[in-house]
Amino acid sequence: MDRTSLHMGLVMDPRGLPQGAVWLRWVDGSPYSALAVLPDCPTASPDGMDGCCEFDGHSGGHSWELADAVDQETAAEAQDGTG
């Protein structure tokens, strides 16, 4: 399976589920999907104010890094009048 075509989406993060959260996973072009309970990413932001909202072992940046990038892009667009 081509790992680049694997997608994950958070379904719910129920209170009291010590194993993590419920995620939906699917592959491009496949009619099948599956639910999985995956452990939470244990990484906290450098200032300790935010935890990562992804699952343990996720690819890419942590959720607070992505939020910062979007905030910076939005501020830049507002400054140059494109946003």
Side-chain angles (χ1 to χ4, degrees):
M1 170 172 41
D2 178 7
R3 297 285 298 167
T4 61
S5 64
L6 177 64
H7 301 281
M8 305 289 283
L10 180 65
V11 175
M12 67 178 178
D13 191 4
R15 289 180 189 242
L17 184 65
Q19 298 89 349
V22 180
W23 292 82
L24 178 69
R25 56 185 171 187
W26 69 96
V27 175
D28 285 339
S30 174
Y32 303 105
S33 59
L35 292 174
V37 175
L38 300 174
D40 296 329
C41 178
T43 306
S45 62
D47 63 8
M49 298 298 291
D50 294 303
C52 181
C53 297
E54 298 286 338
F55 53 90
D56 193 15
H58 64 88
S59 62
H62 296 290
S63 58
W64 74 84
E65 294 170 320
L66 301 174
D68 289 348
V70 170
D71 291 344
Q72 290 169 2
E73 185 177 321
T74 302
E77 288 173 352
Q79 256 187 337
D80 69 13
T82 62

